[in-house]
Amino acid sequence: MAKKYGALAQKKVEKAVHEMKTGKLRSGKSGKKVTSRKQAIAIGLSEARKEGGKVPATKSAKKKTPSKKKAS
């Protein structure tokens, strides 16, 4: 079985969680301090995605595929 996440994703998440723990991680739009571990991981994965790292697509991106409708 192939790995889901690549090395770049691992480094980005590690860096984001470290920044969150030291109080330096800020959210993108509002600029508020990130306190949630899950949010820090999401930010790290998002950064890895932008740089072309091996990261699975988000749930919302998976749902956006057009559904097949029956022609009547």
Side-chain angles (χ1 to χ4, degrees):
M1 181 177 248
K3 290 184 178 181
K4 281 187 177 182
Y5 300 94
L8 179 66
Q10 184 178 354
K11 288 286 182 187
K12 288 285 182 182
V13 169
E14 184 179 346
K15 185 175 181 259
V17 171
H18 178 73
E19 285 181 12
M20 184 263 304
K21 285 183 178 180
T22 56
K24 295 179 183 176
L25 186 64
R26 303 279 173 165
S27 68
K29 193 171 181 179
S30 65
K32 290 182 180 178
K33 190 186 295 185
V34 173
T35 56
S36 167
R37 182 175 163 270
K38 286 184 177 183
Q39 187 64 32
I41 292 169
I43 290 169
L45 291 176
S46 177
E47 289 176 3
R49 248 184 227 103
K50 285 178 186 173
E51 290 189 19
K54 185 181 177 192
V55 184
T58 60
K59 287 182 181 180
S60 61
K62 288 180 186 176
K63 289 181 182 178
K64 288 183 181 177
T65 57
S67 60
K68 294 181 181 180
K69 294 183 179 177
K70 291 184 178 182
S72 39

Short mmCIF file of all heavy atoms in Angstrom, two decimals:
data_model
loop_
_atom_site.label_atom_id
_atom_site.label_comp_id
_atom_site.label_asym_id
_atom_site.label_seq_id
_atom_site.Cartn_x
_atom_site.Cartn_y
_atom_site.Cartn_z
N MET A 1 0.83 -1.17 0.00
CA MET A 1 0.00 0.00 0.00
C MET A 1 0.89 1.25 0.00
O MET A 1 1.83 1.36 0.77
CB MET A 1 -0.91 -0.01 1.22
CG MET A 1 -1.84 1.16 1.29
SD MET A 1 -2.94 1.04 2.70
CE MET A 1 -4.46 0.78 1.84
N ALA A 2 0.56 2.19 -0.87
CA ALA A 2 1.34 3.42 -0.99
C ALA A 2 1.03 4.37 0.16
O ALA A 2 -0.06 4.34 0.73
CB ALA A 2 1.03 4.09 -2.32
N LYS A 3 2.00 5.23 0.45
CA LYS A 3 1.79 6.23 1.50
C LYS A 3 0.83 7.30 1.03
O LYS A 3 0.80 7.67 -0.14
CB LYS A 3 3.13 6.89 1.85
CG LYS A 3 4.10 6.00 2.56
CD LYS A 3 5.32 6.80 2.92
CE LYS A 3 6.32 5.96 3.68
NZ LYS A 3 7.51 6.74 4.05
N LYS A 4 0.03 7.82 1.94
CA LYS A 4 -0.92 8.89 1.61
C LYS A 4 -0.23 10.24 1.55
O LYS A 4 -0.57 11.09 0.73
CB LYS A 4 -2.04 8.97 2.64
CG LYS A 4 -3.12 7.94 2.48
CD LYS A 4 -4.24 8.26 3.45
CE LYS A 4 -5.38 7.29 3.29
NZ LYS A 4 -6.49 7.62 4.20
N TYR A 5 0.73 10.47 2.44
CA TYR A 5 1.37 11.78 2.55
C TYR A 5 2.86 11.65 2.26
O TYR A 5 3.52 10.72 2.70
CB TYR A 5 1.17 12.35 3.95
CG TYR A 5 -0.28 12.54 4.31
CD1 TYR A 5 -0.98 11.55 5.00
CD2 TYR A 5 -0.96 13.68 3.94
CE1 TYR A 5 -2.33 11.72 5.32
CE2 TYR A 5 -2.29 13.86 4.26
CZ TYR A 5 -2.97 12.87 4.94
OH TYR A 5 -4.29 13.05 5.24
N GLY A 6 3.40 12.63 1.55
CA GLY A 6 4.82 12.64 1.23
C GLY A 6 5.64 13.33 2.30
O GLY A 6 5.13 13.84 3.30
N ALA A 7 6.95 13.40 2.05
CA ALA A 7 7.87 13.99 3.02
C ALA A 7 7.64 15.49 3.17
O ALA A 7 7.77 16.03 4.27
CB ALA A 7 9.31 13.72 2.58
N LEU A 8 7.32 16.18 2.07
CA LEU A 8 7.08 17.62 2.14
C LEU A 8 5.88 17.92 3.05
O LEU A 8 5.92 18.85 3.85
CB LEU A 8 6.81 18.19 0.74
CG LEU A 8 6.51 19.68 0.68
CD1 LEU A 8 7.74 20.48 1.11
CD2 LEU A 8 6.07 20.09 -0.71
N ALA A 9 4.84 17.11 2.93
CA ALA A 9 3.65 17.30 3.77
C ALA A 9 4.00 17.11 5.24
O ALA A 9 3.55 17.87 6.11
CB ALA A 9 2.55 16.33 3.36
N GLN A 10 4.81 16.13 5.53
CA GLN A 10 5.21 15.86 6.91
C GLN A 10 5.99 17.04 7.49
O GLN A 10 5.74 17.47 8.62
CB GLN A 10 6.07 14.59 6.96
CG GLN A 10 6.45 14.16 8.36
CD GLN A 10 7.25 12.87 8.36
OE1 GLN A 10 7.43 12.24 7.33
NE2 GLN A 10 7.76 12.51 9.51
N LYS A 11 6.89 17.61 6.70
CA LYS A 11 7.68 18.75 7.18
C LYS A 11 6.80 19.99 7.41
O LYS A 11 6.97 20.70 8.40
CB LYS A 11 8.78 19.09 6.16
CG LYS A 11 9.89 18.10 6.10
CD LYS A 11 10.77 18.24 7.31
CE LYS A 11 11.93 17.27 7.23
NZ LYS A 11 12.72 17.27 8.47
N LYS A 12 5.86 20.22 6.48
CA LYS A 12 5.00 21.39 6.60
C LYS A 12 4.09 21.29 7.82
O LYS A 12 3.89 22.27 8.54
CB LYS A 12 4.14 21.56 5.34
CG LYS A 12 4.93 22.03 4.14
CD LYS A 12 5.26 23.50 4.28
CE LYS A 12 6.00 24.02 3.08
NZ LYS A 12 6.36 25.43 3.24
N VAL A 13 3.53 20.11 8.06
CA VAL A 13 2.66 19.92 9.23
C VAL A 13 3.47 20.06 10.51
O VAL A 13 3.04 20.72 11.46
CB VAL A 13 1.95 18.54 9.16
CG1 VAL A 13 1.26 18.23 10.48
CG2 VAL A 13 0.95 18.53 8.02
N GLU A 14 4.65 19.48 10.53
CA GLU A 14 5.52 19.57 11.70
C GLU A 14 5.84 21.04 12.02
O GLU A 14 5.76 21.47 13.17
CB GLU A 14 6.81 18.81 11.43
CG GLU A 14 7.78 18.74 12.59
CD GLU A 14 9.03 17.96 12.26
OE1 GLU A 14 9.07 17.25 11.23
OE2 GLU A 14 10.00 18.07 13.04
N LYS A 15 6.15 21.82 10.99
CA LYS A 15 6.46 23.24 11.16
C LYS A 15 5.24 24.02 11.65
O LYS A 15 5.35 24.85 12.55
CB LYS A 15 6.95 23.81 9.83
CG LYS A 15 7.42 25.24 9.91
CD LYS A 15 7.99 25.68 8.57
CE LYS A 15 8.48 27.11 8.65
NZ LYS A 15 7.57 28.06 8.07
N ALA A 16 4.07 23.74 11.07
CA ALA A 16 2.86 24.45 11.46
C ALA A 16 2.48 24.16 12.91
O ALA A 16 2.10 25.08 13.66
CB ALA A 16 1.71 24.08 10.53
N VAL A 17 2.57 22.90 13.33
CA VAL A 17 2.22 22.54 14.71
C VAL A 17 3.22 23.17 15.68
O VAL A 17 2.84 23.66 16.76
CB VAL A 17 2.17 21.00 14.87
CG1 VAL A 17 2.03 20.61 16.33
CG2 VAL A 17 1.02 20.43 14.07
N HIS A 18 4.49 23.22 15.30
CA HIS A 18 5.50 23.84 16.14
C HIS A 18 5.21 25.34 16.31
O HIS A 18 5.29 25.88 17.42
CB HIS A 18 6.89 23.64 15.54
CG HIS A 18 7.99 24.29 16.33
ND1 HIS A 18 8.42 23.80 17.54
CD2 HIS A 18 8.72 25.40 16.11
CE1 HIS A 18 9.38 24.58 18.02
NE2 HIS A 18 9.58 25.56 17.16
N GLU A 19 4.86 26.00 15.20
CA GLU A 19 4.52 27.42 15.27
C GLU A 19 3.29 27.65 16.13
O GLU A 19 3.21 28.64 16.86
CB GLU A 19 4.28 27.98 13.86
CG GLU A 19 5.54 28.21 13.07
CD GLU A 19 5.27 28.80 11.69
OE1 GLU A 19 4.13 29.23 11.44
OE2 GLU A 19 6.20 28.82 10.88
N MET A 20 2.31 26.74 16.04
CA MET A 20 1.10 26.87 16.85
C MET A 20 1.44 26.75 18.34
O MET A 20 0.95 27.52 19.16
CB MET A 20 0.09 25.78 16.46
CG MET A 20 -1.25 25.87 17.16
SD MET A 20 -1.48 24.81 18.60
CE MET A 20 -1.17 23.20 17.96
N LYS A 21 2.31 25.82 18.67
CA LYS A 21 2.68 25.62 20.07
C LYS A 21 3.44 26.82 20.64
O LYS A 21 3.32 27.13 21.82
CB LYS A 21 3.52 24.35 20.22
CG LYS A 21 2.71 23.08 20.11
CD LYS A 21 3.59 21.85 20.34
CE LYS A 21 2.77 20.59 20.29
NZ LYS A 21 3.62 19.38 20.51
N THR A 22 4.23 27.49 19.78
CA THR A 22 4.99 28.65 20.25
C THR A 22 4.17 29.94 20.15
O THR A 22 4.63 31.00 20.58
CB THR A 22 6.30 28.82 19.45
OG1 THR A 22 5.99 28.92 18.06
CG2 THR A 22 7.24 27.67 19.69
N GLY A 23 2.97 29.85 19.57
CA GLY A 23 2.08 31.00 19.50
C GLY A 23 2.33 31.91 18.32
O GLY A 23 1.90 33.06 18.31
N LYS A 24 3.03 31.43 17.28
CA LYS A 24 3.36 32.26 16.13
C LYS A 24 2.49 31.98 14.91
O LYS A 24 2.52 32.74 13.96
CB LYS A 24 4.82 32.05 15.74
CG LYS A 24 5.79 32.52 16.79
CD LYS A 24 7.22 32.26 16.36
CE LYS A 24 8.20 32.67 17.46
NZ LYS A 24 9.57 32.33 17.10
N LEU A 25 1.70 30.91 14.94
CA LEU A 25 0.89 30.54 13.78
C LEU A 25 -0.38 31.37 13.74
O LEU A 25 -1.13 31.46 14.71
CB LEU A 25 0.54 29.05 13.82
CG LEU A 25 -0.18 28.50 12.60
CD1 LEU A 25 0.70 28.58 11.36
CD2 LEU A 25 -0.61 27.06 12.83
N ARG A 26 -0.63 32.00 12.59
CA ARG A 26 -1.80 32.84 12.39
C ARG A 26 -2.62 32.30 11.23
O ARG A 26 -2.08 31.74 10.28
CB ARG A 26 -1.38 34.28 12.06
CG ARG A 26 -0.48 34.93 13.09
CD ARG A 26 -1.28 35.45 14.22
NE ARG A 26 -0.44 35.93 15.32
CZ ARG A 26 -0.88 36.68 16.28
NH1 ARG A 26 -2.14 37.02 16.32
NH2 ARG A 26 -0.09 37.07 17.23
N SER A 27 -3.94 32.50 11.32
CA SER A 27 -4.79 32.07 10.22
C SER A 27 -4.66 33.06 9.08
O SER A 27 -4.31 34.23 9.29
CB SER A 27 -6.25 31.94 10.67
OG SER A 27 -6.76 33.20 10.96
N GLY A 28 -4.98 32.61 7.87
CA GLY A 28 -4.74 33.41 6.69
C GLY A 28 -5.56 34.68 6.58
O GLY A 28 -5.01 35.78 6.51
N LYS A 29 -6.86 34.57 6.57
CA LYS A 29 -7.69 35.72 6.26
C LYS A 29 -7.83 36.69 7.44
O LYS A 29 -7.60 37.89 7.29
CB LYS A 29 -9.09 35.25 5.82
CG LYS A 29 -9.92 36.33 5.20
CD LYS A 29 -11.18 35.76 4.60
CE LYS A 29 -12.00 36.84 3.96
NZ LYS A 29 -13.22 36.34 3.35
N SER A 30 -8.18 36.18 8.60
CA SER A 30 -8.43 37.06 9.74
C SER A 30 -7.14 37.43 10.47
O SER A 30 -7.09 38.46 11.14
CB SER A 30 -9.39 36.39 10.73
OG SER A 30 -8.79 35.24 11.29
N GLY A 31 -6.13 36.60 10.39
CA GLY A 31 -4.87 36.88 11.08
C GLY A 31 -4.90 36.56 12.55
O GLY A 31 -3.99 36.93 13.30
N LYS A 32 -5.96 35.85 13.00
CA LYS A 32 -6.06 35.48 14.41
C LYS A 32 -5.09 34.35 14.73
O LYS A 32 -4.73 33.56 13.86
CB LYS A 32 -7.48 35.04 14.74
CG LYS A 32 -8.49 36.14 14.72
CD LYS A 32 -9.86 35.63 15.12
CE LYS A 32 -10.89 36.72 15.10
NZ LYS A 32 -12.22 36.22 15.44
N LYS A 33 -4.71 34.27 16.01
CA LYS A 33 -3.81 33.23 16.46
C LYS A 33 -4.51 31.87 16.42
O LYS A 33 -5.65 31.73 16.87
CB LYS A 33 -3.35 33.53 17.88
CG LYS A 33 -2.22 32.64 18.36
CD LYS A 33 -1.88 32.87 19.82
CE LYS A 33 -1.34 34.24 20.07
NZ LYS A 33 -0.91 34.42 21.47
N VAL A 34 -3.83 30.86 15.87
CA VAL A 34 -4.40 29.51 15.79
C VAL A 34 -4.09 28.78 17.09
O VAL A 34 -2.93 28.73 17.53
CB VAL A 34 -3.81 28.74 14.59
CG1 VAL A 34 -4.25 27.29 14.59
CG2 VAL A 34 -4.20 29.41 13.29
N THR A 35 -5.13 28.22 17.74
CA THR A 35 -4.93 27.49 18.99
C THR A 35 -5.30 26.01 18.84
O THR A 35 -4.97 25.21 19.70
CB THR A 35 -5.78 28.10 20.12
OG1 THR A 35 -7.14 28.12 19.71
CG2 THR A 35 -5.32 29.51 20.43
N SER A 36 -5.97 25.66 17.76
CA SER A 36 -6.42 24.29 17.56
C SER A 36 -5.36 23.46 16.84
O SER A 36 -4.80 23.89 15.82
CB SER A 36 -7.72 24.29 16.73
OG SER A 36 -8.01 23.00 16.28
N ARG A 37 -5.09 22.28 17.35
CA ARG A 37 -4.12 21.37 16.74
C ARG A 37 -4.60 20.94 15.35
O ARG A 37 -3.82 20.88 14.40
CB ARG A 37 -3.93 20.16 17.64
CG ARG A 37 -2.92 19.15 17.14
CD ARG A 37 -2.72 18.03 18.18
NE ARG A 37 -2.08 16.90 17.57
CZ ARG A 37 -2.73 15.89 17.00
NH1 ARG A 37 -4.04 15.89 16.96
NH2 ARG A 37 -2.07 14.90 16.46
N LYS A 38 -5.90 20.67 15.23
CA LYS A 38 -6.46 20.25 13.95
C LYS A 38 -6.32 21.35 12.90
O LYS A 38 -6.04 21.08 11.74
CB LYS A 38 -7.94 19.88 14.10
CG LYS A 38 -8.15 18.56 14.79
CD LYS A 38 -9.63 18.20 14.81
CE LYS A 38 -9.87 16.84 15.43
NZ LYS A 38 -11.29 16.48 15.39
N GLN A 39 -6.52 22.59 13.30
CA GLN A 39 -6.39 23.70 12.37
C GLN A 39 -4.94 23.87 11.93
O GLN A 39 -4.67 24.17 10.77
CB GLN A 39 -6.91 24.99 13.01
CG GLN A 39 -6.97 26.16 12.06
CD GLN A 39 -7.95 25.96 10.93
OE1 GLN A 39 -8.97 25.31 11.10
NE2 GLN A 39 -7.64 26.50 9.78
N ALA A 40 -4.01 23.66 12.84
CA ALA A 40 -2.59 23.75 12.50
C ALA A 40 -2.22 22.68 11.46
O ALA A 40 -1.49 22.96 10.51
CB ALA A 40 -1.74 23.60 13.75
N ILE A 41 -2.73 21.48 11.63
CA ILE A 41 -2.47 20.39 10.69
C ILE A 41 -3.07 20.74 9.33
O ILE A 41 -2.43 20.54 8.29
CB ILE A 41 -3.02 19.06 11.22
CG1 ILE A 41 -2.22 18.60 12.45
CG2 ILE A 41 -3.00 17.99 10.14
CD1 ILE A 41 -2.82 17.45 13.20
N ALA A 42 -4.28 21.30 9.33
CA ALA A 42 -4.93 21.68 8.08
C ALA A 42 -4.13 22.74 7.34
O ALA A 42 -3.99 22.69 6.11
CB ALA A 42 -6.34 22.17 8.36
N ILE A 43 -3.58 23.69 8.06
CA ILE A 43 -2.77 24.74 7.45
C ILE A 43 -1.50 24.14 6.85
O ILE A 43 -1.10 24.49 5.74
CB ILE A 43 -2.43 25.83 8.49
CG1 ILE A 43 -3.70 26.62 8.84
CG2 ILE A 43 -1.34 26.77 7.98
CD1 ILE A 43 -3.56 27.54 10.03
N GLY A 44 -0.86 23.23 7.58
CA GLY A 44 0.35 22.57 7.07
C GLY A 44 0.08 21.78 5.80
O GLY A 44 0.85 21.84 4.84
N LEU A 45 -1.03 21.04 5.77
CA LEU A 45 -1.39 20.26 4.58
C LEU A 45 -1.72 21.17 3.40
O LEU A 45 -1.36 20.88 2.26
CB LEU A 45 -2.56 19.33 4.88
CG LEU A 45 -2.27 18.17 5.83
CD1 LEU A 45 -3.54 17.39 6.11
CD2 LEU A 45 -1.19 17.26 5.27
N SER A 46 -2.38 22.28 3.69
CA SER A 46 -2.72 23.24 2.64
C SER A 46 -1.46 23.83 2.01
O SER A 46 -1.36 23.96 0.79
CB SER A 46 -3.60 24.35 3.23
OG SER A 46 -3.87 25.31 2.26
N GLU A 47 -0.50 24.18 2.84
CA GLU A 47 0.78 24.71 2.33
C GLU A 47 1.51 23.68 1.49
O GLU A 47 2.09 24.01 0.46
CB GLU A 47 1.66 25.17 3.49
CG GLU A 47 1.16 26.42 4.17
CD GLU A 47 1.98 26.80 5.39
OE1 GLU A 47 2.99 26.11 5.67
OE2 GLU A 47 1.63 27.78 6.04
N ALA A 48 1.48 22.42 1.93
CA ALA A 48 2.13 21.35 1.17
C ALA A 48 1.44 21.15 -0.18
O ALA A 48 2.10 20.92 -1.19
CB ALA A 48 2.12 20.06 1.97
N ARG A 49 0.12 21.24 -0.19
CA ARG A 49 -0.65 21.13 -1.44
C ARG A 49 -0.25 22.21 -2.44
O ARG A 49 -0.07 21.96 -3.62
CB ARG A 49 -2.14 21.23 -1.16
CG ARG A 49 -2.88 19.97 -1.38
CD ARG A 49 -4.37 20.14 -1.19
NE ARG A 49 -4.82 19.04 -0.35
CZ ARG A 49 -5.10 19.12 0.93
NH1 ARG A 49 -5.04 20.26 1.56
NH2 ARG A 49 -5.49 18.06 1.59
N LYS A 50 -0.11 23.44 -1.94
CA LYS A 50 0.24 24.58 -2.79
C LYS A 50 1.63 24.40 -3.41
O LYS A 50 1.88 24.89 -4.51
CB LYS A 50 0.19 25.87 -1.99
CG LYS A 50 -1.21 26.35 -1.71
CD LYS A 50 -1.20 27.62 -0.88
CE LYS A 50 -2.61 28.00 -0.48
NZ LYS A 50 -2.63 29.13 0.46
N GLU A 51 2.52 23.74 -2.70
CA GLU A 51 3.88 23.54 -3.20
C GLU A 51 4.02 22.26 -4.01
O GLU A 51 5.11 21.90 -4.42
CB GLU A 51 4.88 23.55 -2.04
CG GLU A 51 5.03 24.92 -1.42
CD GLU A 51 6.17 24.98 -0.42
OE1 GLU A 51 7.06 24.12 -0.46
OE2 GLU A 51 6.14 25.92 0.40
N GLY A 52 2.92 21.54 -4.19
CA GLY A 52 2.95 20.35 -5.03
C GLY A 52 3.35 19.07 -4.31
O GLY A 52 3.78 18.12 -4.95
N GLY A 53 3.21 19.04 -3.00
CA GLY A 53 3.54 17.84 -2.24
C GLY A 53 2.48 16.76 -2.39
O GLY A 53 1.37 17.01 -2.88
N LYS A 54 2.83 15.56 -1.99
CA LYS A 54 1.90 14.44 -2.10
C LYS A 54 0.94 14.47 -0.91
O LYS A 54 1.28 14.06 0.20
CB LYS A 54 2.66 13.12 -2.12
CG LYS A 54 1.77 11.92 -2.36
CD LYS A 54 2.56 10.62 -2.35
CE LYS A 54 1.60 9.47 -2.51
NZ LYS A 54 2.21 8.19 -2.24
N VAL A 55 -0.27 14.98 -1.19
CA VAL A 55 -1.32 15.11 -0.17
C VAL A 55 -2.64 14.76 -0.83
O VAL A 55 -2.92 15.24 -1.92
CB VAL A 55 -1.39 16.56 0.38
CG1 VAL A 55 -2.41 16.66 1.50
CG2 VAL A 55 -0.03 17.03 0.85
N PRO A 56 -3.48 13.93 -0.20
CA PRO A 56 -4.79 13.63 -0.79
C PRO A 56 -5.65 14.88 -0.91
O PRO A 56 -5.46 15.84 -0.16
CB PRO A 56 -5.42 12.64 0.19
CG PRO A 56 -4.34 12.19 1.09
CD PRO A 56 -3.26 13.21 1.05
N ALA A 57 -6.60 14.85 -1.82
CA ALA A 57 -7.51 15.98 -2.02
C ALA A 57 -8.39 16.16 -0.79
O ALA A 57 -8.65 15.21 -0.05
CB ALA A 57 -8.37 15.75 -3.24
N THR A 58 -8.86 17.37 -0.58
CA THR A 58 -9.75 17.65 0.54
C THR A 58 -11.10 17.00 0.31
O THR A 58 -11.45 16.67 -0.82
CB THR A 58 -9.94 19.16 0.73
OG1 THR A 58 -10.51 19.68 -0.47
CG2 THR A 58 -8.64 19.86 1.01
N LYS A 59 -11.87 16.85 1.38
CA LYS A 59 -13.20 16.24 1.26
C LYS A 59 -14.10 17.08 0.35
O LYS A 59 -14.85 16.55 -0.44
CB LYS A 59 -13.85 16.10 2.64
CG LYS A 59 -13.24 15.00 3.47
CD LYS A 59 -13.95 14.87 4.80
CE LYS A 59 -13.32 13.79 5.64
NZ LYS A 59 -13.99 13.65 6.93
N SER A 60 -14.00 18.40 0.47
CA SER A 60 -14.85 19.27 -0.35
C SER A 60 -14.45 19.17 -1.82
O SER A 60 -15.30 19.28 -2.70
CB SER A 60 -14.77 20.71 0.14
OG SER A 60 -13.44 21.19 0.04
N ALA A 61 -13.17 18.97 -2.10
CA ALA A 61 -12.73 18.84 -3.49
C ALA A 61 -13.21 17.52 -4.09
O ALA A 61 -13.51 17.44 -5.28
CB ALA A 61 -11.21 18.92 -3.56
N LYS A 62 -13.29 16.49 -3.27
CA LYS A 62 -13.77 15.20 -3.74
C LYS A 62 -15.26 15.25 -4.07
O LYS A 62 -15.72 14.62 -5.01
CB LYS A 62 -13.52 14.11 -2.69
CG LYS A 62 -12.08 13.72 -2.55
CD LYS A 62 -11.92 12.64 -1.49
CE LYS A 62 -10.47 12.33 -1.21
NZ LYS A 62 -10.33 11.37 -0.14
N LYS A 63 -16.02 16.02 -3.30
CA LYS A 63 -17.47 16.10 -3.49
C LYS A 63 -17.86 16.92 -4.71
O LYS A 63 -18.95 16.80 -5.20
CB LYS A 63 -18.13 16.71 -2.25
CG LYS A 63 -18.11 15.79 -1.06
CD LYS A 63 -18.81 16.43 0.12
CE LYS A 63 -18.76 15.54 1.34
NZ LYS A 63 -19.38 16.18 2.50
N LYS A 64 -16.95 17.76 -5.21
CA LYS A 64 -17.29 18.66 -6.29
C LYS A 64 -17.31 17.99 -7.67
O LYS A 64 -17.57 18.65 -8.66
CB LYS A 64 -16.33 19.84 -6.31
CG LYS A 64 -16.55 20.79 -5.16
CD LYS A 64 -15.66 21.98 -5.22
CE LYS A 64 -15.90 22.89 -4.03
NZ LYS A 64 -15.02 24.02 -4.00
N THR A 65 -17.06 16.70 -7.74
CA THR A 65 -17.13 16.03 -9.02
C THR A 65 -18.59 15.98 -9.46
O THR A 65 -19.48 15.72 -8.66
CB THR A 65 -16.56 14.60 -8.95
OG1 THR A 65 -17.26 13.88 -7.94
CG2 THR A 65 -15.08 14.61 -8.63
N PRO A 66 -18.86 16.24 -10.74
CA PRO A 66 -20.25 16.27 -11.18
C PRO A 66 -20.92 14.91 -11.07
O PRO A 66 -20.33 13.88 -11.42
CB PRO A 66 -20.15 16.72 -12.64
CG PRO A 66 -18.77 16.44 -13.04
CD PRO A 66 -17.93 16.48 -11.81
N SER A 67 -22.13 14.91 -10.58
CA SER A 67 -22.85 13.66 -10.43
C SER A 67 -23.52 13.30 -11.75
O SER A 67 -23.92 14.18 -12.51
CB SER A 67 -23.89 13.77 -9.31
OG SER A 67 -24.81 14.79 -9.63
N LYS A 68 -23.63 12.01 -12.01
CA LYS A 68 -24.24 11.56 -13.25
C LYS A 68 -25.76 11.48 -13.03
O LYS A 68 -26.25 10.84 -12.12
CB LYS A 68 -23.71 10.19 -13.64
CG LYS A 68 -22.26 10.22 -14.01
CD LYS A 68 -21.76 8.85 -14.41
CE LYS A 68 -20.28 8.87 -14.74
NZ LYS A 68 -19.79 7.55 -15.12
N LYS A 69 -26.49 12.17 -13.88
CA LYS A 69 -27.94 12.17 -13.79
C LYS A 69 -28.51 11.37 -14.96
O LYS A 69 -27.97 11.41 -16.06
CB LYS A 69 -28.49 13.59 -13.82
CG LYS A 69 -28.09 14.40 -12.62
CD LYS A 69 -28.72 15.77 -12.67
CE LYS A 69 -28.32 16.58 -11.43
NZ LYS A 69 -28.87 17.92 -11.50
N LYS A 70 -29.60 10.68 -14.71
CA LYS A 70 -30.26 9.93 -15.76
C LYS A 70 -31.03 10.87 -16.68
O LYS A 70 -31.71 11.78 -16.21
CB LYS A 70 -31.23 8.89 -15.19
CG LYS A 70 -30.53 7.75 -14.48
CD LYS A 70 -31.55 6.72 -14.03
CE LYS A 70 -30.89 5.55 -13.36
NZ LYS A 70 -31.85 4.55 -12.97
N ALA A 71 -30.87 10.65 -17.96
CA ALA A 71 -31.63 11.46 -18.92
C ALA A 71 -33.05 10.92 -19.02
O ALA A 71 -33.26 9.73 -19.17
CB ALA A 71 -30.95 11.42 -20.29
N SER A 72 -34.01 11.81 -18.92
CA SER A 72 -35.40 11.35 -18.98
C SER A 72 -36.10 11.84 -20.23
O SER A 72 -35.72 12.70 -20.91
CB SER A 72 -36.20 11.75 -17.77
OG SER A 72 -35.88 13.03 -17.33
#
